[in-house]
Amino acid sequence: MKIAVSACLLGENCKYNAGNNKNEDVLALGDRYKLIPICPECFAGLPIPRVPSEIKDGKVYSKDGVDLSKEFADGAEKALYVAEENACQFAILKERSPSCGFGTIYDGTFSGALTNGNGITAQLFYEHGIRIFGEGQVDKLIDELNQIEE
Ligand code: SF4
């Protein structure tokens, strides 16, 4: 069983600010499952560090006003390719990100406010039947995997 994982959750310094979101619960899954790192924004060729982006009215804009919708779509397609090549049926994606967030994302005002919605990659994964969990839902994912393996 392979699980696609936002690379920043595994400690890769691929965030917009060149940091990471290392999460020990996510890393511990690597004892039982093969974790496949994906960073859609890196796959799109965006630099590290980079200006942060958020989704507004269905498009992705950097904080300085550049429309990066095409780049985010390209990164999402590449991340999906990696996930499908590895037959990943599950993904753990960074919550709230304009690429990886699922269910709740930043609202496009760069104020820290949240809104309902999916990041560009999370939406594409969802449309292709990949089950998505946030980093705060590792226990839920383990329960589901245990049921499959029973
Ligand atoms: Fe993490 Fe996803 Fe942002 Fe890459 S695009 S830094 S994996 S949240």
Side-chain angles (χ1 to χ4, degrees):
M1 176 78 74
K2 295 180 183 176
I3 302 170
V5 182
S6 294
C8 57
L9 294 174
L10 298 173
E12 289 190 24
N13 293 325
C14 52
K15 276 181 69 172
Y16 73 90
N17 62 2
N20 64 70
N21 298 305
K22 187 173 175 181
N23 183 294
E24 297 298 338
D25 292 337
V26 174
L27 278 168
L29 279 173
D31 295 341
R32 280 177 68 185
Y33 304 101
K34 174 94 173 136
L35 305 181
I36 306 297
I38 53 119
C39 176
E41 293 174 31
C42 299
F43 291 168
L46 295 170
I48 304 170
R50 55 189 173 275
V51 177
S53 297
E54 294 189 3
I55 295 175
K56 186 78 178 169
D57 299 328
K59 292 193 148 204
V60 186
Y61 295 98
S62 64
K63 194 173 182 182
D64 53 5
V66 179
D67 183 349
L68 293 173
S69 302
K70 276 189 189 155
E71 286 81 355
F72 273 62
D74 177 52
E77 290 287 351
K78 287 174 176 159
L80 179 67
Y81 177 82
V82 171
E84 291 191 329
E85 280 290 291
N86 285 282
C88 297
Q89 297 171 13
F90 295 86
I92 303 178
L93 300 183
K94 177 71 190 78
E95 294 163 1
R96 299 179 293 279
S97 152
S99 288
C100 296
F102 187 63
T104 305
I105 53 173
Y106 293 112
D107 73 350
T109 61
F110 297 93
S111 65
L114 301 171
T115 188
N116 294 333
N118 298 328
I120 304 298
T121 295
Q123 177 65 28
L124 191 65
F125 277 25
Y126 175 73
E127 289 169 3
H128 284 76
I130 298 174
R131 291 270 294 130
I132 300 167
F133 295 80
E135 68 271 23
Q137 299 176 306
V138 171
D139 287 348
K140 195 174 162 196
L141 170 61
I142 290 172
D143 283 348
E144 205 159 305
L145 293 172
N146 284 341
Q147 282 174 22
I148 290 171
E149 287 164 0
E150 273 173 11

